[in-house]
Amino acid sequence: REIAPAKSNGFHIQPSVKGESMSTFVSPDMAVCDDCAAELDTPGDRRYLYPFINCTNCGPRYSIISSIPYDRPNTSMHIFEMCPECQAEYDDPADRRFHAQPNACPACGPSVTLCTPAGEPLQKDEYAVVLTNKLLKQGHIVAIKGLGGFHLACNAHSRQAVERLRQRKNREEKPLAVMVKNLVIAEKYVVLSDREKQLLTSQQAPIVLAEKRPDSEMNDQIAPGNPRLGIMLPYTPLHKLLFHSTTDMLVMTSGNYTDEPICIDNDDAQERLRDITDYMLVHNRAILQRVDDSVAIVLRNTPRIIRRSRGYVPRPVKLLQRTEPILAVGGELKNTLGYSKDDAAFLSQHIGDLTNVRAMDFFHHTRDHLKSILEIDPAIIACDLHPGYLSTQWATEQTNRTLLGVQHHHAHLASVMVEHRLTDPVIGIIMDGTGYGIDGTIWGGEVLVGDYSGFRRFAHFENTPLPGGDKAIKEPWRMGVSYLLHTFGEEYRRHVPSEWRKYPVRQIAEMIEKNINSPLTSSCGRLFDGIAALCGGRTHITYEAQAAIEFQHQMQTSTARPLTYEISKVNEHYEVLIPPIIREVVQLLETGDGLPEISFRFHQMLVNLFLDLAVRARTETGLTHVALSGGVFQNTYLFEQVAEQLENHGFDVFTHARVPTNDGGISLGQLAVAQALILAGKQQAVYH
């Protein structure tokens, strides 16, 4: 629009006016830049060894903001009055720190303190960091307040320190992330492609899941049984200082008990972490927004986000069109929520599993904070159909709001479509562990044909009882019993592994037969679990999808043919029958085949099956676009093989990169579906 000339001289930044529509996005937190890193290590520089060095190109942003506009008074830096030198930099358009809101130095900015778990100070400033380094070398566990929350750190080379951390944190076997000094050190432990190096050294600086070097002397307690290691570089000045005189690799895991949100407040950390940590390295710059480390992997030469948080949030994802504001509350596990504003989707940081009070508090805080900084108050809420999800329950309690229910796997499908800006219907191969189906059963092994406004359930795995509900997810042997009973009837007992005699197998069979707490499921994730357990894999898990993950990693490629499968047409859709698969697995076990070979044959069967179903869908619909989504596609072998085979057979394959393929991408799909329904004047999606 045309405006009258102001007729002023020079360049001025005027004070922000509260109440005006804010179109400038809040920046994500960014890793320390090369210029600041150089100053950090330069003796004589006034910020030499200062752990809070930053400029307009790096440092905290989202984690320190309370409201917009993004000016210093609206951040946790407001309590630190800049000294004359910092103020001069801040005011100088030619300076690298011009209007850098977190600008500070040792004379006027935040400081660090090493203290006991009870909060008793031991050392301050550079002496605190030096002593921390010594303590880490000696094998102590130190809680370190970072950018978006606390880490629990220890010497990654000390088996005793890592074992002690696992025991105290109640994290028995799940892989731990590590931080290494630089790329040279990283390549001692993992094999890095150029894309992985770029990702590690990017401004986002996520944890990257890279393949371990088979010849490295890696502590096997860090990522037991896993060929990949979650590795990151120091992304704050404080982290860089930790490597000045300490070991070359530190375990750097989230500062929490398993399944709880990370600590961000000093007092809260003293209360919650005092039984885990030996010492605490804290600082006095408040973290206002909890932000976990992001996690990424490079597959098919493309970086793919597995957990979207620090460095990426709140950067928006473009939607196809503009609509009135919408709030999407996501799912139950790996929860994220999201808002639409104009044609942009603003997804929250990783919130986690909404199964405890602290996680729900985090959910509510994040919802209110994003609403505030976006300056919107949506009258429309999109949620999952599962009535038991806490996010759904909250949504249904809101009055004077239009509620739009989005089926779980439809949200997965839509999230791929909107990420790639697709408008026409697609074939969706959506494979995960749990999603509430439109028929009241638990879905999870679905081939859908649809778009934003709805879908047809084209094919799925045959329904099988889930004995004990969620208990069967944590005890995969229960699914093994369910599949055996479903396949062999009363003869199932002949095929139960002898090692399972210590389990209440008969009682589980009776639960299934009498339909007691045994909902039906078509889940591909549960099929992985059950077959893994039958083959001698995990019967009980200590973290989500452990049985399936280890089943993949124990796979041994061979020339053996894939398992066979059968597809039946039932009520206008296809069902993949379970008994032929289980019968062949049992046969192979009884003739001496082991888990590694059966795993390979099972994976190859799934590749062939998904291709077969896609071809059938193309034949019936003429569609050639295929979207892959769902947590099962975190299986790297399956993901790469399925995508390759589909492309080889003339399909255009669309997969996730900017948002997670797991439930962390559900909120984006909910926004896309809700937006399409609003534009079409519909109250609900069409499912059949």
Side-chain angles (χ1 to χ4, degrees):
R1 61 191 176 92
E2 281 191 21
I3 60 173
K7 297 182 179 178
S8 61
N9 296 317
F11 175 79
H12 306 276
I13 292 184
Q14 301 295 337
S16 301
V17 179
K18 190 67 178 173
E20 290 184 353
S21 176
M22 300 297 175
S23 60
T24 302
F25 300 139
V26 176
S27 168
D29 302 288
M30 291 298 173
V32 59
C33 68
D34 290 342
D35 290 331
C36 285
E39 289 178 350
L40 181 72
D41 290 334
T42 302
D45 190 285
R46 71 188 193 92
R47 292 187 177 89
Y48 176 54
L49 303 183
Y50 182 56
F52 301 96
I53 189 171
N54 69 88
C55 69
T56 52
N57 300 318
C58 69
R61 300 289 190 273
Y62 182 66
S63 61
I64 63 169
I65 188 172
S66 60
S67 62
I68 57 170
Y70 176 59
D71 292 336
R72 193 174 178 108
N74 296 328
T75 73
S76 58
M77 288 297 296
H78 75 277
I79 64 171
F80 302 101
E81 184 178 350
M82 282 185 281
C83 66
E85 287 180 281
C86 286
Q87 188 68 53
E89 294 168 334
Y90 183 88
D91 293 333
D92 183 1
D95 196 281
R96 197 174 86 248
R97 294 186 169 90
F98 178 55
H99 274 254
Q101 305 303 340
N103 192 30
C105 74
C108 64
S111 59
V112 293
T113 302
L114 180 70
C115 57
T116 67
E120 180 186 350
L122 299 174
Q123 285 287 0
K124 291 198 72 174
D125 300 325
E126 66 265 31
Y127 303 106
V129 178
V130 171
L131 183 52
T132 298
N133 289 343
K134 289 180 180 177
L135 294 169
L136 288 168
K137 267 186 179 179
Q138 292 167 5
H140 291 285
I141 298 168
V142 182
I144 299 172
K145 187 177 182 181
L147 187 66
F150 274 81
H151 285 112
L152 290 165
C154 72
N155 185 343
H157 297 294
S158 170
R159 187 182 183 88
Q160 294 78 11
V162 176
E163 287 177 346
R164 197 161 60 249
L165 175 57
R166 283 193 175 280
Q167 182 181 18
R168 293 180 184 178
K169 185 176 160 69
N170 191 27
R171 185 165 175 158
E172 298 172 36
E173 295 164 305
K174 189 176 182 179
L176 298 165
V178 298
M179 182 178 282
V180 297
K181 186 173 184 176
N182 51 42
L183 278 179
V184 174
I185 301 299
E187 291 193 283
K188 288 173 57 178
Y189 302 105
V190 294
V191 179
L192 294 175
S193 66
D194 288 342
R195 295 304 294 270
E196 287 167 328
K197 292 176 186 176
Q198 291 169 6
L199 196 53
L200 281 168
T201 56
S202 67
Q203 285 187 311
Q204 292 77 27
I207 296 170
V208 175
L209 302 182
E211 288 189 18
K212 295 177 185 173
R213 283 196 180 277
D215 56 344
S216 73
E217 296 180 3
M218 172 62 63
N219 181 347
D220 61 7
Q221 286 294 302
I222 294 175
N226 196 311
R228 289 182 180 265
L229 178 67
I231 196 165
M232 59 180 155
L233 298 181
Y235 58 83
T236 72
L238 179 58
H239 291 137
K240 284 188 172 292
L241 294 177
L242 291 175
F243 288 95
H244 271 205
S245 59
T246 189
T247 176
D248 61 359
M249 179 167 63
L250 295 170
V251 166
M252 198 70 76
T253 188
S254 54
N256 58 358
Y257 278 101
T258 298
D259 296 332
E260 288 188 352
I262 57 172
C263 295
I264 59 173
D265 178 76
N266 294 350
D267 293 337
D268 182 42
Q270 287 165 16
E271 178 188 338
R272 291 168 56 197
L273 304 181
R274 64 188 307 161
D275 294 331
I276 303 178
T277 188
D278 300 320
Y279 298 91
M280 303 183 71
L281 184 64
V282 302
H283 58 74
N284 57 346
R285 184 181 69 201
I287 298 171
L288 301 183
Q289 310 308 325
R290 179 182 283 107
V291 189
D292 288 83
D293 291 320
S294 294
V295 181
I297 189 171
V298 175
L299 296 174
R300 306 189 84 220
N301 202 36
T302 300
R304 302 177 190 277
I305 303 298
I306 294 175
R307 184 170 74 194
R308 188 176 185 269
S309 211
R310 175 186 54 76
Y312 297 94
V313 172
R315 182 172 290 135
V317 177
K318 278 286 187 180
L319 295 170
L320 294 175
Q321 300 180 67
R322 293 171 177 263
T323 54
E324 57 188 296
I326 305 164
L327 164 62
V329 295
E332 180 92 328
L333 304 179
K334 296 180 173 61
N335 177 271
T336 64
L337 57 87
Y339 286 93
S340 70
K341 182 177 182 180
D342 297 328
D343 63 346
F346 294 86
L347 306 181
S348 76
Q349 66 270 46
H350 169 80
I351 294 173
D353 300 351
L354 304 182
T355 53
N356 60 62
V357 174
R358 293 186 194 278
M360 281 306 298
D361 288 345
F362 183 16
F363 171 87
H364 293 309
H365 170 84
T366 304
R367 186 195 68 242
D368 291 342
H369 175 67
L370 279 174
K371 173 184 169 183
S372 171
I373 65 172
L374 292 172
E375 294 187 318
I376 55 175
D377 187 15
I380 299 161
I381 302 177
C383 67
D384 196 275
L385 295 182
H386 198 307
Y389 282 1
L390 294 177
S391 56
T392 300
Q393 290 177 8
W394 176 85
T396 57
E397 293 167 358
Q398 306 313 301
T399 57
N400 303 319
R401 296 288 189 272
T402 299
L403 191 66
L404 297 176
V406 182
Q407 199 278 328
H408 189 86
H409 301 94
H410 188 202
H412 272 300
L413 176 75
S415 66
V416 182
M417 291 184 65
V418 74
E419 186 174 341
H420 291 277
R421 305 188 66 75
L422 303 177
T423 55
D424 295 328
V426 300
I427 301 164
I429 302 178
I430 317 297
M431 299 289 149
D432 62 4
T434 301
Y436 192 77
I438 59 173
D439 58 0
T441 65
I442 300 171
W443 291 8
E446 315 304 312
V447 177
L448 310 177
V449 174
D451 55 18
Y452 301 106
S453 61
F455 65 76
R456 171 164 72 100
R457 195 184 190 196
F458 182 82
H460 62 87
F461 283 102
E462 183 182 4
N463 281 335
T464 313
L466 184 71
D470 287 348
K471 189 82 170 172
I473 298 173
K474 296 178 180 178
E475 299 181 6
W477 68 270
R478 290 174 178 243
M479 283 309 302
V481 173
S482 181
Y483 290 131
L484 289 176
L485 183 62
H486 183 72
T487 301
F488 298 104
E490 281 302 312
E491 295 295 308
Y492 84 94
R493 280 173 286 191
R494 292 180 50 229
H495 306 291
V496 173
S498 58
E499 299 85 3
W500 293 9
R501 289 172 187 160
K502 57 190 174 185
Y503 305 140
V505 172
R506 183 59 205 152
Q507 290 93 316
I508 295 302
E510 286 180 5
M511 281 179 65
I512 296 169
E513 290 167 337
K514 295 176 181 178
N515 194 25
I516 299 171
N517 192 23
S518 297
L520 296 176
T521 182
S522 62
S523 168
C524 185
R526 299 293 78 79
L527 183 61
F528 261 95
D529 288 351
I531 290 179
L534 285 170
C535 292
R538 287 278 169 178
T539 56
H540 296 70
I541 63 171
T542 61
Y543 62 89
E544 186 187 2
Q546 184 180 11
I549 290 168
E550 292 183 357
F551 188 57
Q552 177 206 344
H553 293 155
Q554 291 167 331
M555 175 177 61
Q556 227 170 56
T557 56
S558 74
T559 56
R561 62 172 179 78
L563 299 180
T564 55
Y565 61 84
E566 292 182 25
I567 300 173
S568 175
K569 190 79 178 281
V570 180
N571 298 329
E572 302 305 315
H573 62 266
Y574 294 97
E575 283 190 5
V576 181
L577 303 181
I578 295 297
I581 300 170
I582 300 301
R583 209 172 278 120
E584 188 171 4
V585 167
V586 169
Q587 222 170 38
L588 291 171
L589 288 169
E590 290 173 351
T591 56
D593 283 8
L595 184 152
E597 185 170 291
I598 295 176
S599 173
F600 173 73
R601 296 176 69 165
F602 176 70
H603 279 80
Q604 288 301 112
M605 179 272 290
L606 290 179
V607 173
N608 292 347
L609 170 64
F610 296 161
L611 175 61
D612 185 342
L613 292 171
V615 169
R616 293 180 190 225
R618 179 171 61 186
T619 301
E620 292 190 20
T621 65
L623 300 176
T624 59
H625 286 4
V626 178
L628 306 181
S629 189
V632 167
F633 285 113
Q634 290 179 159
N635 181 314
T636 55
Y637 181 85
L638 190 64
F639 171 80
E640 292 183 323
Q641 289 295 311
V642 169
E644 182 179 334
Q645 287 303 312
L646 287 169
E647 287 177 347
N648 289 345
H649 285 78
F651 290 96
D652 299 309
V653 182
F654 298 91
T655 58
H656 290 287
R658 298 179 63 196
V659 298
T661 190
N662 57 47
D663 284 6
I666 287 289
S667 58
L668 176 62
Q670 291 173 344
L671 286 175
V673 170
Q675 187 186 62
L677 295 178
I678 292 166
L679 290 169
K682 297 180 179 179
Q683 294 298 310
Q684 59 186 30
V686 178
Y687 299 137
H688 57 88

